[in-house]
Amino acid sequence: MTIVVIGLGNDLRRDDGIGPTVARAVAPKVGPDVQTVASGGDPVALLELWAGADLTVIVDAVICDPPRPGVVHRLTPAELDAMRAGMFSTHGISLNDAVRLGAVLDRLPRRMVILAVEIADLDDGRGLSPAVGRAVDAVVSAVLSEIGAPSERVV
């Protein structure tokens, strides 16, 4: 089974770094059969990363109105499409648009799960806001649960 974990975001835009932060935290907890990647959201790179995978888990920051920083939404691509009116991507091309492009080009994984973390702070700079920072452990556990990995890897 091919599994890919993608943390979308930009570490230099505060809460937008939640995806890469989670990807880095997941990497040492999984075996070599799970690919973990921090990605800036380039659609071509995403298509290459997830094409043909059995399972892709994506962690991404979303802006909601009203914001509830740290709240995590578990979504399928269809649910992401349905929620787009209340959620806004932090990327030039939204994850939803990248998924649609992947569908048209037949470059999707067999199954995709999106863990969308609500954020509020997109200022320049490193470090997550306290509310989003408190969500990291829960999101890491959610990723490990989705891929069927134990929450703590015994070395």
Side-chain angles (χ1 to χ4, degrees):
M1 182 166 167
T2 306
I3 300 172
V4 180
V5 176
I6 303 171
L8 293 180
N10 182 341
D11 284 320
L12 300 177
R13 293 197 59 210
R14 306 276 297 157
D15 286 347
D16 194 37
I18 184 68
T21 298
V22 169
R24 287 189 295 270
V26 166
K29 298 176 184 292
V30 297
D33 56 326
V34 177
Q35 180 181 9
T36 58
V37 179
S39 171
D42 173 55
V44 174
L46 291 175
L47 295 178
E48 289 302 313
L49 285 169
W50 70 41
D54 293 304
L55 170 63
T56 297
V57 178
I58 298 171
V59 179
D60 195 12
V62 293
I63 301 167
C64 295
D65 188 22
R68 297 172 299 162
V71 171
V72 181
H73 302 270
R74 182 194 182 279
L75 306 167
T76 64
E79 291 167 328
L80 179 68
D81 188 43
M83 289 188 73
R84 71 176 182 224
M87 299 179 133
F88 305 96
S89 174
T90 61
H91 314 289
I93 179 172
S94 72
L95 176 57
N96 190 48
D97 289 339
V99 170
R100 286 180 170 174
L101 180 60
V104 168
L105 298 174
D106 195 27
R107 304 285 296 167
L108 289 176
R110 289 183 58 205
R111 189 165 73 93
M112 180 184 290
V113 173
I114 299 118
L115 299 174
V117 183
E118 290 191 33
I119 65 165
D121 186 352
L122 284 173
D123 289 340
D124 291 338
R126 290 188 176 274
L128 304 173
S129 66
V132 174
R134 286 190 296 273
V136 170
D137 288 341
V139 180
V140 168
S141 292
V143 169
L144 295 174
S145 177
E146 291 291 341
I147 66 175
S151 58
E152 290 299 321
R153 187 168 149 216
V154 178
V155 182

